[in-house]
Amino acid sequence: MNPGLPEGAAPGPVLEVSDLHVSFGGVRAVRGVSYSVRPGEVLGIVGESGSGKSVTTAAVMGLLPPGARVTGSVRLHGKELIGAPERVLNSFRGKSVSMVFQDPLSALTPVYRVGDQIAEAVRVHQRVSKETALVKALELLELVGIPRPAERALAFPHEFSGGMRQRVVIAMAIANDPDVIICDEPTTALDVTIQAQVLEVLKRAQAKTGAAIIMITHDLGVVAGFADRVLVMYAGRPVEVGGVDDIYYRARMPYTVGLLGSVPRVDRGGRQPLTPIEGNPPSPAALPPGCPFAPRCPMRIEACDEREPPLFEVGDGHRAACVRWQEVRPGPPAPPGGGPGPLRVRGARTVLAVRHLVKDYPLVKGAVFKRRVGTVQAVAGVSFDLRQGETLGLVGESGSGKTTTLTQILELTPPQEGDIVVLGHDIARLSRAERAEIRRDMQVVFQDPLASLDPRMTVHDILAEPLRTHGRRDPGRRVAELLALVGLDPSHAARYPQDFSGGQRQRIGIARALALEPRLLVLDEPVSALDVSIQAGVINLLDSLKARLGLSYLFVAHDLGVVRYIADRVAVMYLGRIAEIGHVEAVYDRPAHPYTQALLSAIPLPDPVRERSRERILLEGDLPSPANPPTGCRFRTRCPKFRHELTDGERGLCVRIEPEVRPLGADQGAACHYADKREVV
Amino acid sequence: MTLSEEELAEELTEGPPPAVPSRARVVAGRFFRSAQGRVGFTVLALMFLLAFAGPLFSPWTYTDKDFTAFMQPPSARHWFGTLQTGSDVFAVTLRGMQKSLVVGLLAALVSTALAAVVGAFAGYFLGWTDRALSWVTDLLLVLPAFLILAILSPLFGPGQWPLFVVMLALFLWMVTSKIVRGMTVSLKEREFIQAARYMGVPPVRIIFRHVLPNLSSLLIVDATLNVSSAILTETSLSYFGFGIQPPDVSFGTLIADGSKTAIYAPWTFWFVAGLLVVTVLAVNLVGDALRDAFDPSSSRKGPR
């Protein structure tokens, strides 16, 4: 038995991991992980990329590559799994322990029908006939909420949407009534509203099977509402373990405190700066001698560097690896929302205006004789404007048309329909000189910092490129200035982008965008590829740069927390149209469009108590195909209001007429015939 | 990093601007830091020195004939021996090396450059540019190169070697160009190319600054291979009596003649053959080192 973990009176642990070590060559990826889960319990394993959380799971499942050295013990129902022969491992994989992966597309075989795949999962471990297995498969599909299971079982994985595929994977995972379900970032690849659905399905699956769930994630919000106990990992070892409330409200490890402080939250208005964790996680090949977190820790003392602190017992079932745990205090409690802040007076100069923008893509079929079989309306009449010194957040799920809108603005080619006016110039009538001027004054920061920096160029050349393009001689000094501006060491200019960490690369991307002192910065998901603790630093940087350099941002993101933090105004897009637009505080505090309400309520908060008491507005189904949008209001097929609140007479209006954005109050407008403000966060 | 530290750093930058770490400088530095690069470059430089400065130290020129010494082994009078005609082997070998080095290296560079430019333009602009360039490429691919070179060879009289280089290069570039085109099409979608476009960098400059450097591994390997194949094509053309015309000599003509007498007079063959091998080896070393120098990930093999 593992002495430090709480001894439940009821059944003993199903899965017990003690002192697990994994090393690849000389690199120690996992250094002493111990935990146990009891039936029906949900254990959240939280950590940033490289913290060893996925390797731990792979070790438990016996799925590590041959080069890995595993020591320690993993016991399932008291049976040792480390060193067990492959035959034994196969008999429990998928039966007693099953897994849900991050990417549901690669977890399903593309050439088999979904129903057959689930039936196969059943037949591997149960001696039943094909027919019985198929019947069981249909039951499972029904359980995970796939409509018309008999019909959908005949479909192939690529015919399913991401959320539906993940449901299928969950169905396969529970096919054999497992005792433990390991979920490795099960919702990371999904949109927020779909994530809420899938989490709901997981809860249902757990209730049905009574299995223990190990939930591996980097999203502190997902764990808050779902887990009973949480294990925080850093540099290959657990640094804090405890009940979910202990971790979130009484954290005793500075890393946990830092992690919680660096999450931008949808429920907090009023711009408190985020507290990023300085520096970068250590490389597992070169760990510092003492506490691995010490180099980044705000509470570091000399004792920290002497040796790695063990897990101290800091409360009932709550352990933390910090020598100063008694002094560690969680961050200040969340101040109450405080209602919509004072509406700022908007700037006078418009830097970007988009009016009734439309962009269609033809759907063509055939290789030799291409014929048009339909039209995808990626953007269908979007209007917004952005004033000097303002940040407009453009949010929406995948397929909402936000990227297309952005591309249309950046391409500087005349739009198919509508107008785009950038910095006072209509882009349909641009002279060569004006185009060059806009290219200088409007810059872009991309989502993936590694992909957007030429891997073959030194940082110096990358930063000098815009300067040279727009005729600035001798860029050396300016490059050093820019690096310093974004908080990097100017002496690193001779390095290549791959020598930097993710956060530093994004800073280089930002420095490049700032090189020409632009007036408008277009940011395409600039922080979504970064870890939480790094993300906070980049957000703070963007915020301070905006104030210092008088920039305007068009900020595209799917993370509503980030947008609330950085934006002044927000536009919520749904299926190529704007559902709601307005001042951030107004839209977040009292959203008027049913879609905005659902979106906001779907976001998990890193606050267990509120998370448990929250009433979610769950959207049903998936985003309709943009090739064949519903008549009238585009949201009506998934609209909870349309389904449950409106009378048949009222619904007629939604079916017939597509609503335009109508103003509702000082700076807020929603495209709904029956908009009405509600608090949801 | 916090804001105060940023501002601090900003003030620290006031000072003499440091050496500008641009790509050319970094690549050159990395090239000369590798042993391969240094050795290859030195050997190649020595070969050039030998080919062009060597004849100054020899009492014989390649046209001289010593009628007192036919087919003599190496001696103090004739360092590499003499041929059946009484020519000094040292003098003719160096003369042949001059031709072959220049023709081989230039033909390889021209053909790779042509492949890179045509392929990248076709792949980047697509549309009509692509169609026109692809027609030309396909046309040259189906023409029998050897036959055409043979037919045109009377043109390559004395002093006409640049034309010969161009003709050689013209039949070496097509396959590489097709590969480059395909890679450019996929590279064009990458975000850093988009970033450059949105920055207002003109397309031609994007091709030379971003597309081609990212294909440099392929291009360098191609150029290295082309050096040997250009020397060999020239050799085989000369062997059949086309290409370099007498009284001028090249490695090709020398090897062709020497191979007949190699058994009983090895000095007529082995010096030429040895120098050819060393040249090709040096070119390969330089190519390898250059490829590594361009590739930022090559120097870090271990886990980071």
Side-chain angles (χ1 to χ4, degrees), chain A residues 371-573:
Chain A
R371 59 210 158 82
R372 196 176 172 130
V373 292
T375 307
V376 175
Q377 275 210 323
V379 177
V382 162
S383 308
F384 58 83
D385 63 338
L386 174 64
R387 306 275 172 87
Q388 179 83 44
E390 197 173 65
T391 301
L392 175 69
L394 207 55
V395 295
E397 297 177 282
S398 41
S400 62
K402 52 191 197 306
T403 307
T404 310
T405 309
L406 211 65
T407 327
Q408 289 293 299
I409 297 168
L410 289 168
E411 284 289 339
L412 295 188
T413 47
Q416 183 185 339
E417 263 176 60
D419 303 303
I420 301 176
V421 180
V422 184
L423 302 163
H425 302 291
D426 187 336
I427 66 171
R429 292 183 294 275
L430 276 185
S431 69
R432 233 185 134 80
E434 284 169 340
R435 187 179 299 268
E437 186 190 329
I438 293 179
R439 288 278 183 233
R440 193 183 63 228
D441 289 341
M442 175 172 74
Q443 294 290 329
V444 56
V445 176
F446 290 92
Q447 171 175 13
D448 182 351
L450 188 55
S452 65
L453 303 174
D454 189 334
R456 294 282 166 115
M457 276 179 141
T458 61
V459 169
H460 172 87
D461 279 354
I462 288 171
L463 295 184
E465 179 166 35
L467 298 167
R468 291 197 183 115
T469 303
H470 291 276
R472 289 261 302 256
R473 300 260 160 251
D474 189 26
R477 184 180 291 271
R478 176 73 180 145
V479 167
E481 254 173 47
L482 284 168
L483 283 173
L485 183 69
V486 295
L488 292 174
D489 186 347
S491 66
H492 289 170
R495 297 193 186 177
Y496 287 96
Q498 58 162 21
D499 302 335
F500 293 88
S501 68
Q504 289 173 323
R505 278 181 211 140
Q506 194 57 291
R507 284 166 191 262
I508 297 170
I510 294 168
R512 173 174 65 184
L514 293 175
L516 294 163
E517 295 167 8
R519 291 159 60 196
L520 169 60
L521 211 54
V522 177
L523 302 133
D524 184 6
E525 306 256 11
V527 293
S528 61
L530 307 176
D531 272 324
V532 194
S533 70
I534 308 292
Q535 171 182 312
V538 174
I539 296 173
N540 282 350
L541 172 71
L542 284 172
D543 211 30
S544 73
L545 287 174
K546 186 182 118 181
R548 281 165 62 188
L549 307 176
L551 301 165
S552 312
Y553 289 162
L554 177 61
F555 193 102
V556 174
H558 68 271
D559 185 333
L560 283 96
V562 171
V563 170
R564 168 154 215 177
Y565 181 74
I566 200 155
D568 302 303
R569 300 182 76 234
V570 61
V572 181
M573 287 188 72

Side-chain angles (χ1 to χ4, degrees), chain A residues 27 278 283-285 407 410-411 439-440 442-444 446-448 451-458 460-461 465-466 468-470 474 476-477 480-481 484-488 490 493-494 496 498-500 505 507 512 516 541 544 548, chain B residues 1-3 5-7 9-10 13-18 20-24 26-27 30 190-202 205-206 209-211 213-217 291 293-298 300 303-304:
Chain A
V27 180
E278 306 241 333
S283 141
T407 327
L410 289 168
E411 284 289 339
R439 288 278 183 233
R440 193 183 63 228
M442 175 172 74
Q443 294 290 329
V444 56
F446 290 92
Q447 171 175 13
D448 182 351
S452 65
L453 303 174
D454 189 334
R456 294 282 166 115
M457 276 179 141
T458 61
H460 172 87
D461 279 354
E465 179 166 35
R468 291 197 183 115
T469 303
H470 291 276
D474 189 26
R477 184 180 291 271
E481 254 173 47
L485 183 69
V486 295
L488 292 174
Y496 287 96
Q498 58 162 21
D499 302 335
F500 293 88
R505 278 181 211 140
R507 284 166 191 262
R512 173 174 65 184
L516 294 163
L541 172 71
S544 73
R548 281 165 62 188
Chain B
M1 203 173 272
T2 59
L3 197 61
E5 270 174 85
E6 283 161 30
E7 278 157 357
E10 208 171 8
T13 57
E14 301 301 322
V20 179
S22 70
R23 172 158 62 197
V26 171
V27 168
R30 291 171 56 128
R190 298 272 295 273
E191 269 184 359
F192 63 87
I193 306 266
Q194 303 289 336
R197 282 182 50 217
Y198 292 150
M199 221 179 278
V201 183
R205 207 176 292 170
I206 290 183
R209 196 183 285 161
H210 295 283
V211 176
N214 276 287
L215 300 177
S216 60
S217 302
R291 193 196 56 207
F294 265 104
D295 186 355
S297 60
S298 66
R300 282 158 283 265
R304 287 199 292 137

Side-chain angles (χ1 to χ4, degrees), chain A residues 41-95:
Chain A
E41 190 183 41
V42 180
L43 172 72
I45 300 185
V46 184
E48 295 180 282
S49 43
S51 60
K53 53 192 196 307
S54 292
V55 178
T56 309
T57 333
V60 169
M61 292 291 277
L63 292 174
L64 284 174
R69 269 201 47 203
V70 187
T71 58
S73 142
V74 175
R75 284 161 188 270
L76 182 73
H77 292 301
K79 240 172 108 182
E80 180 62 49
L81 297 181
I82 300 278
E86 194 65 19
R87 193 173 41 80
V88 177
L89 291 178
N90 273 336
S91 70
F92 83 85
R93 274 187 210 143
K95 184 163 191 292

